[in-house]
Amino acid sequence: MNKAKFVAKLALRDIRGDRKISLIVVLMLSFSFLNLVFLPGFINGLSHTFTEGIIEGQTGHLAIESEEERLENADAVVQRISLLEGVENVEKVLETRVNAAYNGKSTSVVLKGTSAQNFEGYTSKMRTGKFLKEDSSEVVAGRFLTEDQSITSVEGIEIEQGRILRITGNNFSRELKVRGVIGTEAGIGGMSQKIYINYDDMEEITGTDDKADTVKIILDDRENVESFKNRLQELNTVGEIKTWDEQSNLADAINSTFTIVINILSIVGLIVALAAIGVVIFINASKRVREMGIVRAIGARKTRVIQIFVLEALIFGMAGVILGNIITLGIDSYLASNPIQSPVGPISTELSFTLLSTRSLGMLAASVIAGFIPAYLTSKTEIVETIENR
Amino acid sequence: MTIIKAEKLTKTYQMGDIQVKALEQVDLEVEKAEFVSIMGPSGSGKSTLMHILGLLDNPTSGEVYIDGEKTSDLGEKKKADFRLKKIGFVFQFYSLLKGFDSLEQVVLPQILEDKPKEKAEGKAREALEKVGLGDRINHSPSELSGGQRQRVAVARAIAGNPDILIADESTSQLDTESSAEIMKLYREFAEEGQTVITVNHEEELGQKADRTIWLEDGKIKDRNR
């Protein structure tokens, strides 16, 4: 046994001595860790669902717009970008405002022509029926059009899947079958208040050929947005390239707000964790004052006493962090396959390595601090006073 | 040769509004390899004197010299080193650490002294043999009788061969036979060259020392050589 072993043995012996108490302490710390990580992770997930709604329905991760009126040679642009690594979907978009009428009711609504019939961002948001099919002149209605009253700027016209919708615009009027209804409960990203139509039909309606209002790009990883933008610029891509947060002030504001909330929650969580471990270690230190007096009486320096308490706190902290990580990742894994259904869409936790590692380190640091304070106070007590504390 | 010298030691405790003088102007000199017994009634200041001589407490005024070194000049680290290397202390209530067997209890101070493991264990075994616990080295305190526990504490105090052994009422919790055995051990240590200072509550045990000092109301009343 050397000095380090002695310190470790004294610290471990106390932990092993009362296993039930030790288990309770570790559980308490692991739940403090869960509190520290889960809520920010959940809010991250909520923020992600919000922004994904906007990205999928409105902005894409990146959008290329013409600096003048409409992008020329849209097909070539789409094909070129589709071949790049990291691209999940490229979509040509043509939009125009139309009047939609059904059963005596009508509303002004955006008609969106899209080339992305198989884009999961659309297909997964279908409430009834299916999304658009190539070579089929049908439409998909936003869910607000199915209402019997006005919810946003769109007037509900009580349209349903399978019904015929009359769409009227500048120099055109058509009757089209509703193939399905799309949208989320809260209508994030505007999907719920538009009518979707195949791009080819939209070209016919607007009288355009190989032109697009925007080309929207979905990447397989949102983190790569800036680097992908740079890559597009290096490839001399025609048009103005904008990231999702440059296009949508709302998405940017939501993201920034959630970041503030997460930071506040993290600080509060860390204080709660610090207090919890501080109380536990302090009570433990109080129980062991006499023993520490004996250790000092036989020649141990104050630093050794502090080391014992700090090591004990660190062991508790590490056990709490490990168990906390296991519980958190278990819940995360469950929510990934069973997300919570909310009006803004399905929410699951979003735990980054940075979140887990910084909070783990924070918790360990909190443990060391919480262990150090009572240890320091105990080491300051006169030896005689501690020994007489029978 | 004087190994411990105390000059005008005074210790005052504040208990609420009242000042209690535990020690008052105590002068004391102990020679190397001397066996001294401090006696006196309860509250006479015996333990306080032991704690101050053992560097576990500081006097309110006065000075303690150990091996000619003025202890009030020593910093906290140096005092810890003195307690580790020069002084072995045996407490009234065994003062063993839970969860450590006899060998580990005795090895402990030597580990703190950075002695190699084998040497430390060798010394610890030797000390345990000396106090008659050679066959109890792997027993934990809960597996030992009161007398055996106190002997482990004595072994811990002597294993590092300190110059001074201080025992504060180390026999008060023991039966007559165990007390006599412990006192016999102290006598042997003194004969081997260690300075032994004990506090005894029984006069008969105190008489086994070379010299008894009688304390009363924090003052030395009688020195009997």
Side-chain angles (χ1 to χ4, degrees), chain A residues 50-65 91-93 95 110 112 119 121-122 125 187-194 196 213-218 242-252 254:
Chain A
F50 257 110
T51 46
E52 279 304 298
I54 292 167
I55 286 165
E56 286 172 351
Q58 205 173 318
T59 64
H61 285 130
L62 289 146
I64 305 170
E65 292 169 4
E91 174 189 12
K92 286 183 292 184
V93 175
E95 284 185 344
V110 171
K112 181 174 179 176
F119 175 43
Y122 294 144
K125 304 289 185 310
I188 304 293
M191 240 181 235
S192 303
Q193 45 202 337
K194 287 177 184 170
Y196 289 81
D213 286 325
T214 53
V215 168
K216 289 180 181 171
I217 306 161
I218 298 288
K242 286 182 177 174
T243 60
W244 62 272
D245 49 348
E246 286 168 345
Q247 294 173 68
S248 171
N249 290 335
L250 176 65
D252 195 31
I254 287 169

Side-chain angles (χ1 to χ4, degrees), chain B residues 103-119:
Chain B
L103 185 67
E104 288 172 329
Q105 305 274 358
V106 183
V107 160
L108 188 54
Q110 296 170 80
I111 287 164
L112 295 171
E113 218 180 317
D114 279 332
K115 279 187 184 155
K117 188 186 167 192
E118 279 171 22
K119 193 178 174 188

Side-chain angles (χ1 to χ4, degrees), chain A residues 3 6 9 13 301 390, chain B residues 81 93 98 104 108 114:
Chain A
K3 263 189 222 178
F6 159 67
K9 184 163 182 173
R13 186 215 51 190
R301 292 181 181 176
R390 297 185 188 103
Chain B
D81 282 349
F93 296 97
K98 283 182 206 161
E104 288 172 329
L108 188 54
D114 279 332

Side-chain angles (χ1 to χ4, degrees), chain A residues 163-328:
Chain A
R163 307 287 179 185
I164 303 296
L165 188 67
R166 170 162 288 280
I167 294 170
T168 311
N170 283 341
N171 309 321
F172 76 91
S173 181
R174 287 192 179 194
E175 285 193 338
L176 296 159
K177 191 178 169 188
V178 176
R179 187 173 161 78
V181 176
I182 193 169
T184 58
E185 199 69 36
I188 304 293
M191 240 181 235
S192 303
Q193 45 202 337
K194 287 177 184 170
I195 296 171
Y196 289 81
I197 189 168
N198 277 326
Y199 191 82
D200 293 345
D201 291 331
M202 191 65 173
E203 277 188 320
E204 213 180 301
I205 286 169
T206 53
T208 56
D209 182 23
D210 203 14
K211 288 181 180 177
D213 286 325
T214 53
V215 168
K216 289 180 181 171
I217 306 161
I218 298 288
L219 303 176
D220 51 19
D221 188 353
R222 199 205 284 186
E223 299 299 313
N224 299 334
V225 163
E226 283 301 328
S227 61
F228 199 84
K229 182 183 174 184
N230 293 337
R231 199 161 160 214
L232 288 176
Q233 282 166 340
E234 281 164 18
L235 292 168
N236 294 321
T237 308
V238 178
E240 194 182 354
I241 306 160
K242 286 182 177 174
T243 60
W244 62 272
D245 49 348
E246 286 168 345
Q247 294 173 68
S248 171
N249 290 335
L250 176 65
D252 195 31
I254 287 169
N255 223 26
S256 306
T257 307
F258 280 133
T259 305
I260 294 167
V261 173
I262 289 166
N263 288 338
I264 291 170
L265 279 175
S266 296
I267 292 167
V268 172
L270 204 60
I271 292 169
V272 171
L274 185 74
I277 192 165
V279 168
V280 169
I281 299 292
F282 193 83
I283 291 168
N284 188 50
S286 308
K287 267 182 4 193
R288 300 179 64 195
V289 165
R290 181 163 188 262
E291 196 168 67
M292 290 304 147
I294 296 166
V295 174
R296 283 178 63 202
I298 60 172
R301 292 181 181 176
K302 285 179 180 177
T303 48
R304 202 69 62 206
V305 173
I306 293 173
Q307 279 173 1
I308 294 165
F309 281 120
V310 168
L311 183 68
E312 193 174 305
L314 193 61
I315 293 168
F316 274 129
M318 279 170 75
V321 163
I322 291 167
L323 187 62
N325 267 293
I326 293 169
I327 296 171
T328 308

